C-alpha cells in the first residue's frame, strides 16, 4: 500500500490536517514564490514545533528512509536521495539558543549549507513513539545542536562568520543562487516551467528559515524582526521566514511598522482530537488494554481539562496515572468491566494529581516506581515523603528564577544548628515586621508576664489601619524587606531567652545561611559594614522551624494571617 | 498543457505578485509621481544632470514599486547590466542590448546599518557591475542610488554617507541621482543642517488609494491572469492546442475573479479592509491562502475561500489564545480584576493569591452552608461542588504560581518595573487587559462555573 508523505503526516498529527495542508499550500512547488513571512501562533504544546519540523523534514529533508519507498516511482526516489545528500532547504532555529543576531545568522547559514538533519532518529520527527516524559525529545535535539557546535570548532571551514545583517543578506543571496543537482533535477525532469519556451532563466528552490520561540527575538534582536519579515524583498530571492510563537503578532509590531506576516493560528484541540493524540501514546505491547486505556483517557480528560489545557500535562497525567489505574486489574482485584470500582479506586490519586498539576516535582517514572512499590498504595500517606523527595527538584526551579524556598530542603532546615535556626527566625521577623514595632515586640522585660500583655496590646493595635485596599499591601504579601544585620541581631538576642555561648560566631552562621540561599545579601560583597540582608524562607517553612524550636512565632509577627 | 500545469503556473504568477516579487500590471493613481521620478532618473542618464529626491508615503503605498518600475523601464530604454536586486524574472529583457549607460546601487537602511557597511556594499555593487562589461572607456557612468528606508540612514553617525552623496549630487562632480524612500513623513527634519542644505528638496508623496474603485482595481489586477503568466506568446502566431487550452483557462479564471468581486460577502470583506486601513498588503495577505489552495480539482478562486481566510487574518488571535486559559488562570485574572478595581494597579503573586483565597474561603463557607440543606458536599481537599456540578477547589500556592507564570508567559501580565529581582512571588506586575476585557474573557470561557462568573461580575 502506498503511503504518501502527506498521509503519514496527517496520521502522525491528529487534528492538525488542516494546518499541515495550509503550510504545504503556502510552500507550493519547491521553486514557487512563497509569502515572504509566516507567523505560526498558538498556545503551548499545540504541536507547532512538532508539526512544522515534521512537515519540512518530510517535504524537504528527504522524508524517511523507511521501506515504503519501493512504491515510489524511481524519479521520486532519486529526488529523496538528493534531498538527503544536498544542502538543506530549510534551517530550524530556536531563539532561546540563538540569542544574538550573530548566532541566528551563523546557525542559519550553517544549516543551509549542510545536508538536512538525518532521519535516523525518526522519533523526533514523528511523535508516534513519543515517551511521555516531556523534554526527552528536546534534550535529544539539544545534544545534536551541541554536537554541531563542536563540529564547528573542529572544522572551521564548515562554519562561517557572519556578524551583521549586510553579510547575512549577502550570504542568503549566495546560498539561494547556488544551483545544485536538485535544481538541475527539476529542469531535466521537466518538473518546472513546463513550456519553458524561450525562458531559460529559472528560480532555484525556495529556502526556509524557521525561528522557533520567536517571542524571544523581541528582547534579543528587536531590530532583526523587520529585517526577517522582508528578507525576501531584501535579498530578492525565494526565501521564506517562519516565526513560531505563543504570542500574537501585535506584540511584535514595531513602531515604524513594516511588512506583516501571514498569520496561521494553531487552535486548541477538541476533546476527540486530544483523545486521538493520546491514543498514540499507548505502547504497542499493551495494545490489549486499549479499551481500558481509552476509557481512562476519557476520564482524565473530563476531570482535568477544565483546569489543565496543556496537552503535555494531560499526557503526563495519563502516563503517570494509567499504571495505577490498571494495577488492580492486573492483580485481579477488580474486573475490567467494573468501571465504577475502578473510578473510585483512582479518585484519590486524582485529588493528589490536582494539587501537583504542572509542578512536575517528580518524573513519571519516579512517581510510578514509588507509588507502585508502596504496598498500601495510599497516596495521601505517601505525600509526606513526596515533600521530602521533591525537595531537590523544586530547588532546581527553571530559569534561575528561583521561587521562595518553600519545600526547599526542609531537611536542610532541620539540620541547622540550634542558634542558626534562631538567626533565621530573627531574620524572618526583621524582614516582615516594621522596625517601629521592634520596641514593642522585642524589648527585653524582666518578667514574662508583662511581656505577654505588651504583645497583646500590639495584637490589638494590629486591627487598626486596615482598609480594604491596605490589606493587600501587608508586608506578608509584599515580600521580605532588607534589614540591617544589627537590627536582626538585636531581635535574635531578644527572642533567645538565654545567653549565647561564647564560642558561637554569629557572623559565620549568617554567612552560611547566605550560602544556603536562605538569606540573601542585598549590599555588594565588597562592602563590609552596614550589611543588609533579606530572608528568603517562606512563612510555612519558618513556622515549621519555629515549632521545632518551640518558638511561638505568630505572636511576634505583625499583620500575618 | 494540462489543467494541473496551468494551475501551477497561475499559482506561481499570482503568488509572486502577492509576495511583491513581481511588479503589478499597472500603477494605479501614481502616474504623476511615476512620471516625475522617471524623468529625474532619465535626465541623470541622458544629460548627466545630478539630482536628489525623496519619496515619502505610508507603508505599502508603492514607493519601492514605483522605483522598481522606473528602473525597469529605463533599463529597457538604455540597457544596462543592472541585475534586478529584487530577483524578478526579466523574461522580456532584450538580450541583444549590450550597451550600458548607467549603474544602479541599491541600499536599504534595514540592511546597511552603518556607513561602513553601506560603503562596502556600494563598492561591491559597483565593482560587480563594472566587471561585467565596463569596456575600457573612462566615461563617467551615471549612477543611480536608491536608499530605501531612508530615515534609517539619517541615524548613522554624522550622516556622512548622506552628506557625501548629496554633496556629489549638488556639486555635479559625477552624474548621480540619489533617491530616498521613506515612510516617515518627517524624514527631512531628521537631516542635519549641512546635509539638508545639500539636498534638492524635491519630494514626492505616495498615498494609499483614496478611492474604493482604485483600491479594487489594484486588488483585481493582482489576481487577474495575463497571457505572460501562462506563458502564452501573443506575438507568435501559434495555434496549437496548448495555446488554446491556456487561453480558455485564462478566460475562465479571470471571469471567476470578476464574479468574485461581485460577490456580496467577498465585497464586504474587502470593503472592511479598505475602511479600516486602505492597505493593499492587507488584501494580499488575505489572498495567499486561497491562491495556495488552488489545485486541479478546484482550479478557480471561490468567494467562500475568502470568508475563512478573512477570519483567520482578522480575528485578533488574542481571543483564540485566551480560550486556552484554565479555570485557575481565569480565577487569578478575576482576582486581578478586583485588585485593579480597588486601584491596586501593580501587584504581585502573593496579593493575587490572597484575593483568590478570600474568594475561595467565602465560597467554601457558603458551600458548607448550602450543603447542610442540599447534598452538595465539601470535598476532602477543600474542594466544593458548585450548583452546576463543577467542583471548585482551592489550589495550593505552588500550583497557582505556575498558573500565574503562565499568564506572565502569555504576556497578559508584565513586570511593573523592568529590573525587579528577587523571588518571583513578590515581583510586582501589571495586567495588560482592562477590567472589561477580563469580564469578556469570563463570558466567553467555555465552562466557567456560575459561582466564578458571579464573582467576576461583582464590583469592588
Ligand atoms: N496533533 C498532535 N499529534 C501528535 N502529537 C502531538 C500533536 N500535537 C502535539 N503533539 C505532541 O505534543 C508535544 C508538544 O508539541 P510541540 O512541542 O510541538 O508544541 P508547541 O506548540 O511547539 O509548544 P510550545 O509553544 O510550548 O513550544 C510534542 O511531543 C508533539 O509531538
Ligand atoms: N497605487 C498602486 N498601484 C498598484 N499597486 C500598488 C499600489 N500601491 C501599492 N501597490 C501594491 O502594493 C505593493 C507594496 O508596495 P511597495 O512595496 O512599493 O510599498 P512601499 O511603499 O515600498 O512600502 P514600505 O514602506 O513598507 O516599503 C506593491 O508591490 C503593489 O503590488
Ligand atoms: Mg515549540
Ligand atoms: Mg518599500
Amino acid at each position: 500500500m502506498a503511503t504518501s508523505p502527506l498521509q503519514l503526516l496527517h496520521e502522525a498529527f491528529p487534528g492538525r490536517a488542516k494546518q499541515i495542508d495550509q503550510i504545504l499550500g503556502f510552500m507550493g512547488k519547491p521553486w514557487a514564490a512563497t509569502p515572504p513571512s509566516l507567523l505560526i501562533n498558538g498556545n503551548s504544546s499545540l504541536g507547532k514545533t512538532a508539526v512544522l519540523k515534521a512537515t519540512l523534514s518530510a517535504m524537504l529533508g528527504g522524508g524517511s528512509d523507511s521501506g515504503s519507498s519501493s512504491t515510489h516511482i524511481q524519479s521520486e526516489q532519486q529526488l529523496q536521495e538528493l534531498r538527503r545528500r544536498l544542502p538543506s532547504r530549510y534551517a530550524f532555529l530556536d531563539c532561546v539558543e540563538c540569542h544574538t543576531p550573530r548566532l541566528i545568522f551563523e546557525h542559519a547559514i550553517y544549516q543551509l549549507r549542510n545536508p538536512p538533519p538525518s532521519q535516523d532518529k525518526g522519533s523526533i520527527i514523528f511523535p508516534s513513539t513519543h515517551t511521555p516524559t516531556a523534554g526527552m525529545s528536546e534534550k535529544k535535539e539539544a545534544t545534536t545542536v551541541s554536537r554541531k557546535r563542536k563540529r564547528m570548532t573542529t572544522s572551521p571551514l564548515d562554519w562561517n562568520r557572519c556578524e551583521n545583517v549586510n553579510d547575512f543578506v549577502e550570504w542568503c543571496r549566495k546560498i539561494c543562487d547556488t544551483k545544485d543537482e536538485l535544481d538541475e533535477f527539476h529542469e531535466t525532469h521537466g518538473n518546472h516551467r513546463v513550456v519553458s519556451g524561450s525562458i531559460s532563466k529559472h528560480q532555484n528552490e525556495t529556502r526556509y528559515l524557521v525561528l522557533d520561540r520567536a517571542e524571544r527575538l523581541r528582547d534579543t534582536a528587536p531590530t532583526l524582526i523587520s529585517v526577517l519579515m522582508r528578507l525576501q524583498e531584501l535579498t530578492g530571492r525565494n526565501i521564506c521566514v517562519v516565526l513560531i510563537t505563543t504570542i500574537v503578532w501585535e506584540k511584535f509590531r514595531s513602531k515604524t511598522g513594516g511588512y506583516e506576516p501571514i498569520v496561521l493560528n494553531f487552535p486548541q484541540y477538541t476533546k476527540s482530537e486530544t483523545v486521538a493524540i493520546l491514543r498514540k501514546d499507548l505502547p504497542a505491547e499493551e495494545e490489549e488494554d486499549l479499551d481500558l486505556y481509552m476509557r481512562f483517557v476519557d476520564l482524565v480528560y473530563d476531570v482535568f481539562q477544565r483546569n489543565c489545557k496543556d496537552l503535555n500535562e494531560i499526557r503526563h497525567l495519563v502516563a503517570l496515572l494509567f499504571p495505577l489505574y490498571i494495577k488492580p486489574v492486573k492483580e485481579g482485584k477488580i474486573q475490567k468491566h467494573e468501571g465504577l470500582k475502578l473510578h473510585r479506586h483512582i479518585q484519590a490519586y486524582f485529588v493528589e494529581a490536582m494539587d501537583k498539576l504542572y509542578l512536575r516535582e517528580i518524573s513519571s517514572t519516579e512517581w510510578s516506581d514509588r507509588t507502585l512499590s508502596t504496598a498500601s498504595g495510599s497516596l495521601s500517606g505517601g505525600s509526606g515523603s513526596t515533600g521530602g523527595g521533591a525537595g531537590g527538584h523544586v530547588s532546581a526551579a527553571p530559569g534561575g528564577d528561583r521561587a521562595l524556598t518553600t519545600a526547599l530542603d526542609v531537611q536542610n532546615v532541620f539540620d541547622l544548628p540550634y542558634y542558626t535556626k534562631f538567626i533565621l527566625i530573627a531574620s524572618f521577623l526583621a524582614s516582615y515586621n516594621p522596625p517601629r514595632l521592634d520596641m514593642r515586640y522585642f524589648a527585653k522585660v524582666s518578667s514574662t508576664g508583662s511581656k505577654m500583655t505588651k504583645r497583646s496590646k500590639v495584637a490589638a493595635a494590629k486591627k487598626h489601619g486596615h482598609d480594604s485596599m491596605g490589606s493587600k499591601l501587608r508586608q506578608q504579601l509584599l515580600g521580605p524587606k532588607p534589614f540591617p544585620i544589627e537590627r536582626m541581631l538585636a531581635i535574635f538576642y531578644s527572642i533567645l531567652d538565654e545567653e549565647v555561648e561564647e564560642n558561637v560566631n554569629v557572623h559565620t552562621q549568617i554567612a552560611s545561611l547566605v550560602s544556603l540561599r536562605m538569606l540573601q545579601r542585598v549590599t555588594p560583597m565588597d562592602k563590609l559594614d552596614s550589611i543588609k540582608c533579606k530572608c528568603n524562607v517562606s512563612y510555612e517553612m519558618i513556622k515549621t522551624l519555629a515549632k521545632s524550636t518551640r518558638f511561638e512565632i505568630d505572636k511576634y509577627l505583625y499583620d500575618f494571617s | 498543457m494540462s489543467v494541473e500545469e496551468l494551475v501551477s503556473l497561475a499559482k506561481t504568477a499570482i503568488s509572486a505578485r502577492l509576495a511583491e516579487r513581481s511588479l503589478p500590471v499597472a500603477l494605479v493613481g501614481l502616474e504623476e509621481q511615476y512620471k516625475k521620478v522617471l524623468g529625474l532618473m532619465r535626465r541623470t542618464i541622458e544629460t548627466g544632470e545630478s539630482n536628489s529626491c525623496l519619496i515619502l508615503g505610508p507603508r505599502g503605498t508603492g514607493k519601492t514599486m514605483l522605483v522598481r518600475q522606473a528602473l525597469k523601464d529605463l533599463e529597457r530604454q538604455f540597457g544596462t547590466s543592472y541585475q534586478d536586486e529584487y530577483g524578478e524574472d526579466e523574461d522580456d529583457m532584450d538580450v541583444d542590448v549590450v550597451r550600458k549607460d548607467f549603474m544602479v546601487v541599491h541600499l536599504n537602511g534595514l540592511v546597511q546599518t552603518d556607513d561602513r557597511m553601506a560603503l562596502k556594499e556600494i563598492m561591491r555593487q559597483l565593482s560587480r557591475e563594472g566587471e561585467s562589461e565596463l569596456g575600457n572607456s573612462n566615461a563617467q557612468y551615471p549612477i543611480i542610488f536608491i536608499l530605501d528606508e531612508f530615515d534609517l540612514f539619517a541615524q548613522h553617525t554624522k550622516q556622512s554617507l548622506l552628506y557625501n552623496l548629496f554633496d556629489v549630487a549638488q556639486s555635479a562632480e559625477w552624474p548621480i541621482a540619489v533617491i530616498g524612500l521613506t515612510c516617515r513623513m518627517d524624514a527631512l527634519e531628521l537631516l542635519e543642517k549641512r546635509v539638508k542644505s545639500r539636498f534638492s528638496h524635491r519630494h514626492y508623496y505616495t498615498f494609499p488609494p483614496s478611492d474604493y474603485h482604485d483600491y479594487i482595481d489594484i486588488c483585481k489586477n493582482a489576481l487577474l491572469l495575463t497571457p505572460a503568466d501562462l506563458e502564452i506568446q501573443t506575438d507568435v502566431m501559434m495555434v496549437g492546442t496548448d495555446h488554446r487550452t491556456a487561453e480558455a483557462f485564462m478566460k475562465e479564471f479571470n471571469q471567476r475573479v470578476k464574479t468574485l468581486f461581485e460577490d456580496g460577502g467577498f465585497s464586504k470583506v474587502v470593503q472592511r479592509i479598505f475602511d479600516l486601513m486602505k492597505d493593499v498588503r492587507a488584501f494580499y495577505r488575505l489572498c495567499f491562502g486561497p491562491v495556495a489552495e488552488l489545485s486541479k480539482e478546484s482550479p478557480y478562486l471561490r468567494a467562500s475561500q475568502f470568508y475563512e481566510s478573512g477570519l483567520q487574518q482578522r480575528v485578533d488571535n488574542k481571543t483564540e489564545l485566551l480560550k486556552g486559559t484554565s479555570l485557575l488562570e481565569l480565577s487569578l485574572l478575576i482576582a486581578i480584576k478586583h485588585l485593579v478595581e480597588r486601584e491596586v494597579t501593580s501587584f504581585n503573586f502573593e496579593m493575587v493569591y490572597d484575593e483568590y483565597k478570600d474568594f475561595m474561603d467565602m465560597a467554601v463557607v457558603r458551600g458548607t452552608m448550602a450543603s447542610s440543606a442540599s447534598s452538595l458536599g465539601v470535598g476532602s481537599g477543600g474542594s466544593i461542588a458548585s450548583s452546576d456540578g463543577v467542583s471548585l477547589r482551592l489550589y495550593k500556592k505552588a500550583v497557582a504560581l505556575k498558573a500565574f507564570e503562565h499568564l506572565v508567559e502569555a504576556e497578559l501580565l508584565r513586570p511593573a518595573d523592568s529590573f525587579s529581582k528577587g523571588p518571583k512571588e513578590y515581583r510586582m506586575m501589571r495586567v495588560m487587559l482592562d477590567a472589561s476585557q477580563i469580564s469578556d474573557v469570563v463570558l466567553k470561557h467555555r465552562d466557567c462555573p456560575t459561582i466564578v462568573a458571579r464573582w467576576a461580575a461583582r464590583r469592588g
Side-chain angles (χ1 to χ4, degrees), chain A residues 230 233, chain B residues 59 63-65 148-149 181 281:
Chain A
R230 46 170 87 212
E233 180 189 318
Chain B
R59 295 248 170 231
K63 302 183 291 296
T64 307
M65 171 191 68
D148 213 335
E149 313 287 341
L181 318 183
R281 284 184 183 146

Side-chain angles (χ1 to χ4, degrees), chain A residues 475-523:
Chain A
Q475 200 62 44
Q476 181 187 5
L477 300 184
L478 289 174
K481 265 195 329 276
F483 53 82
I485 292 290
E486 294 73 27
R487 178 175 163 228
M488 183 275 284
L489 286 177
I491 297 176
F492 168 69
Y493 290 117
S494 155
I495 59 175
L496 199 70
D497 267 340
E498 54 194 285
E499 289 299 311
V500 182
E501 282 168 40
E502 282 293 315
N503 56 0
V504 175
N505 183 342
V506 286
H507 287 281
T508 329
Q509 315 239 0
I510 294 172
S512 76
L513 283 174
V514 170
S515 69
L516 284 170
R517 312 289 248 109
M518 292 182 187
L519 287 189
Q520 186 196 345
R521 228 183 118 121
V522 290
T523 40

Side-chain angles (χ1 to χ4, degrees), chain A residues 18 22 25-26 28-29 31-36 41-44 164-167 169-170 173 193-196 198-199 201 203 215 218 223 226-227 230 232-238 246-248 250-251 256-268 301 305-309 351 354-359 397-398 401-404 406 432 468-469 471-480 520 534 536 540 561, chain B residues 1 5 8-9 11-12 15-16 18-21 59 64 84-91 108 110-113 116-117 120-121 124 148-149 183 230-231 233 242 281 285 288-289 292 308 312-313 316-318 320-329 339 342-344 348 350-351 354-355 358 380 390 393-399 401-402 406 409-412 414 422-428 432 445-449:
Chain A
K18 188 173 151 214
Q22 271 176 325
F26 286 135
K29 287 265 152 60
W31 57 87
T34 58
N41 71 5
N43 281 316
S44 200
N164 57 51
V165 188
N166 197 28
D167 293 348
V169 166
E170 197 43 41
R173 291 202 186 113
R193 284 296 161 93
V194 220
V195 280
S196 31
S198 66
I199 301 129
K201 216 169 142 190
Q203 292 281 350
E215 58 276 0
R218 295 168 313 157
T223 51
S226 34
V227 173
R230 46 170 87 212
Q232 195 172 96
E233 180 189 318
L234 297 175
T235 58
R237 302 296 182 273
N238 269 351
T246 49
I247 60 175
V248 294
E250 276 70 46
K251 304 207 177 221
T256 52
Y259 197 88
E260 311 231 327
I262 307 273
V263 177
L264 192 61
N265 183 259
F266 275 41
Q268 220 62 41
Y301 185 87
Q305 62 88 21
R306 189 183 284 269
N307 288 305
C308 169
K309 306 275 176 179
V351 169
M354 204 64 106
D355 279 343
K356 298 240 151 54
L357 215 53
Y358 290 113
L359 295 186
D401 230 11
R402 224 164 36 83
L404 264 197
T406 34
Y432 287 93
S468 60
M469 173 187 137
S471 73
K472 285 293 177 280
L473 300 176
R474 336 198 276 270
Q475 200 62 44
Q476 181 187 5
L477 300 184
L478 289 174
Q520 186 196 345
K534 249 162 57 171
N536 250 350
E540 284 70 30
S561 58
Chain B
M1 234 185 303
E5 287 160 345
S8 168
L9 283 176
K11 250 164 97 166
T12 309
S15 308
L18 297 177
E20 301 172 28
R21 302 272 287 128
R59 295 248 170 231
T64 307
D84 192 323
E85 282 288 323
Y86 303 93
E88 205 199 341
D89 279 348
E90 293 306 331
D91 25 36
N108 191 309
L110 284 171
V111 182
Q112 286 83 35
T113 48
R116 200 180 49 82
M117 262 184 251
K120 205 175 128 195
E121 183 64 17
R124 192 186 67 80
D148 213 335
E149 313 287 341
C183 62
L230 299 182
E231 304 181 340
Q233 265 95 24
D242 261 9
R281 284 184 183 146
R285 272 199 297 283
F288 273 111
E308 205 196 328
Q312 178 127 38
Q313 296 307 315
D316 69 301
N317 310 90
K318 210 181 229 169
E320 183 55 48
L321 295 182
L322 279 171
K323 273 189 204 151
T325 48
S326 71
L327 190 54
L328 176 56
E329 284 158 13
L339 288 180
R342 265 179 277 142
E343 278 164 32
V344 186
N348 62 23
E350 290 285 337
M351 296 179 187
D354 196 60
E355 183 76 22
D358 282 350
S380 54
V390 181
R393 64 192 343 268
L394 175 66
Y395 281 96
K396 297 240 168 78
K397 238 185 207 176
V399 179
L401 182 59
K402 280 278 173 194
H406 193 242
E409 262 166 44
E411 298 189 8
L412 297 173
R414 291 293 288 284
K424 44 192 170 188
E425 294 94 319
Y426 299 120
R427 222 164 280 168
M428 294 309 245
M432 296 288 113
H445 203 269
R446 195 148 31 101
D447 36 25
C448 173

